[in-house]
């Protein structure tokens, strides 16, 4: 395999479902349709493969319905991974599964000190050299500080203020080292000012389009894969030279996740400056 081939970790939704309620989207009484979830996930996988990505699969586990959300496995940095420590005990049971996968695939595993919460690429996204890190609902700010010191990174913590947008990847998505989309209503004044000061170009997403999880997009090169129904955002993306691929991901939105949450970029997010150097050095 060419070291520049995008590599993405996914987990088939064999045991996916709404079995508990840990965010405002999840309603056990509503549930998710199993057949539709399988189809939607398969189409996401195929779309990413058609874009040239190599998909690696984590084995699904009965009793771990949210294991499909591999963005929460950890934060990838070169050949290292900072393993997540979930806020909610129902998801903490996923940690050994993710850890075993990273061990088996040659990543150096970094573990946070006890009592720190961190939910991986759901809450920590590179835009250029900087790691933007969301906190409050899931990850805590101390974990971000610790990661910054441990990896020698410039980290900018952003407080999330709307419980519907409880992970950073539900309201912010870097597209390149200089361009990102975001939903301003998910941040406080300070967070908005930090984003404006540190991301050269920002595309604003409206409240209604953000509520359909359109910020939760997967970026592969100049292609953006996202849930359908965000015409203003997709027009803005096309005007900026991106192709858009709109899929139906309703069954996963019922759990508070969409395209991006279902993926973990193993060779580094598209906008991460370190990717330019990483494939030149030996990695897993
Ligand atoms: N039901 C999952 C949870 O509440 C959804 C996770 C979505 N993941 C994400 N990266 N935003 O934890």
């Amino acid at each position: 395999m060419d070291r520049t081939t995008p590599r993405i970790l996914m987990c088939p939704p064999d045991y996916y479902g709404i079995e508990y309620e840990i965010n405002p989207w999840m309603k056990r009484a509503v549930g998710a349709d199993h057949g539709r979830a399988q189809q939607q996930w398969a189409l996401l996988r195929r779309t990413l493969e058609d874009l040239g990505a190599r998909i690696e699969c984590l084995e699904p586990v009965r009793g771990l319905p949210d294991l499909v959300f591999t963005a929460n496995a950890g934060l990838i940095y070169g050949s290292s991974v900072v393993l997540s420590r979930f806020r909610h005990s129902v998801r903490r049971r996923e940690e050994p599964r993710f850890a075993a996968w990273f061990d088996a695939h040659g990543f150096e595993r970094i573990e946070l000190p006890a009592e720190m919460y961190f939910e991986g690429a759901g809450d920590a996204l590179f835009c250029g050299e900087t790691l933007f890190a969301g906190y409050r609902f899931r990850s805590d700010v101390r974990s971000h500080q610790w990661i910054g010191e441990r990896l020698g990174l410039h980290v900018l913590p952003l407080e999330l203020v709307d419980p519907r947008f409880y992970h950073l990847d539900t309201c912010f998505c870097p597209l390149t080292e200089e361009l990102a989309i975001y939903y301003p209503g998910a941040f406080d004044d300070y967070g908005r000012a930090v984003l404006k000061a540190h991301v050269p170009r920002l595309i604003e997403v409206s409240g209604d389009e953000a509520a359909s999880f359109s910020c939760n997009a997967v970026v592969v090169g100049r292609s953006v894969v996202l849930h359908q129904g965000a015409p203003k955002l997709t027009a803005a993306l096309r005007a900026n030279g991106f192709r858009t691929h709109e899929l139906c991901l309703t069954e996963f939105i019922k759990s508070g996740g969409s395209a991006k949450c279902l993926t973990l970029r193993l060779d580094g997010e598209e906008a991460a400056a370190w990717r330019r150097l990483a494939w030149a050095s030996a990695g897993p």
Side-chain angles (χ1 to χ4, degrees):
M1 180 185 42
D2 178 348
R3 289 203 72 88
T4 58
T5 299
R7 288 172 66 206
I8 294 175
L9 180 66
M10 294 180 74
C11 174
D14 298 20
Y15 305 109
Y16 168 69
I18 317 293
E19 293 177 14
Y20 41 76
E21 299 179 4
I22 56 171
N23 68 53
W25 304 90
M26 300 176 87
K27 300 273 177 277
R28 289 178 66 188
V30 175
D33 183 282
H34 187 69
R36 266 205 292 269
Q38 296 270 7
Q39 283 167 8
Q40 293 176 357
W41 186 91
L43 189 55
L44 173 63
R45 176 185 180 153
R46 207 173 327 129
T47 303
L48 295 170
E49 283 174 339
D50 288 348
L51 292 173
R54 172 179 150 157
I55 306 300
E56 311 212 11
C57 275
L58 180 72
E59 200 183 320
V61 177
R62 190 184 298 278
L64 298 180
D66 277 342
L67 199 64
V68 292
F69 297 112
T70 52
N72 297 126
L75 170 70
I76 303 290
Y77 182 59
S79 56
S80 301
V81 57
V82 181
L83 210 63
S84 289
R85 171 133 352 88
F86 287 93
R87 168 85 54 181
H88 297 285
S89 55
V90 281
R91 292 208 66 188
R92 222 164 286 154
R93 291 179 286 133
E94 298 172 30
E95 291 170 13
R97 304 295 174 151
F98 289 132
W101 191 91
F102 289 123
D103 286 350
H105 291 81
F107 285 85
E108 187 213 338
R109 179 146 56 83
I110 299 172
E111 302 223 14
L112 288 157
E115 306 305 321
M116 284 189 196
Y117 297 117
F118 175 64
E119 298 202 356
D123 266 336
L125 297 163
F126 283 97
C127 191
E129 308 279 349
T130 303
L131 184 66
F132 291 86
Y135 69 94
R136 180 160 150 187
F137 299 109
R138 297 298 181 86
S139 301
D140 55 42
V141 74
R142 285 183 315 153
S143 69
H144 298 327
Q145 284 159 350
W146 188 89
I147 289 166
E149 279 165 34
R150 173 71 173 74
L151 298 177
L153 291 171
H154 180 224
V155 178
L156 288 176
L158 300 166
E159 184 164 7
L160 303 175
V161 300
D162 182 335
R164 293 175 305 154
F165 303 99
Y166 58 95
H167 275 141
L168 184 64
D169 70 0
T170 64
C171 51
F172 175 65
C173 176
L175 300 169
T176 70
E177 292 184 31
E178 270 121 45
L179 177 65
I181 61 176
Y182 83 125
Y183 167 52
F187 303 92
D188 59 11
D189 285 340
Y190 180 76
R192 284 189 286 265
V194 167
L195 284 166
K196 284 185 186 148
H198 293 274
V199 181
R201 286 168 57 223
L202 281 167
I203 297 173
E204 281 193 21
V205 178
S206 66
D208 56 326
E209 294 197 351
S212 70
F213 273 78
S214 55
C215 295
N216 198 251
V218 187
V219 185
V220 179
R222 301 296 279 183
S223 295
V224 181
V225 182
L226 73 172
H227 178 59
Q228 64 198 14
K232 289 175 280 185
L233 175 60
T234 48
L237 290 170
R238 286 194 290 268
N240 277 277
F242 288 86
R243 283 177 296 275
T244 57
H245 302 263
E246 294 154 66
L247 305 180
C248 176
L249 290 160
T250 49
E251 299 318 299
F252 298 100
I253 290 175
K254 290 175 181 173
S255 187
S258 186
K260 166 63 168 50
C261 305
L262 293 166
T263 65
L264 179 70
R265 186 74 184 250
L266 295 165
D267 58 318
E269 304 284 334
E270 209 66 37
W274 63 260
R275 291 178 78 242
R276 280 187 273 115
L277 312 165
W279 61 270
S281 64

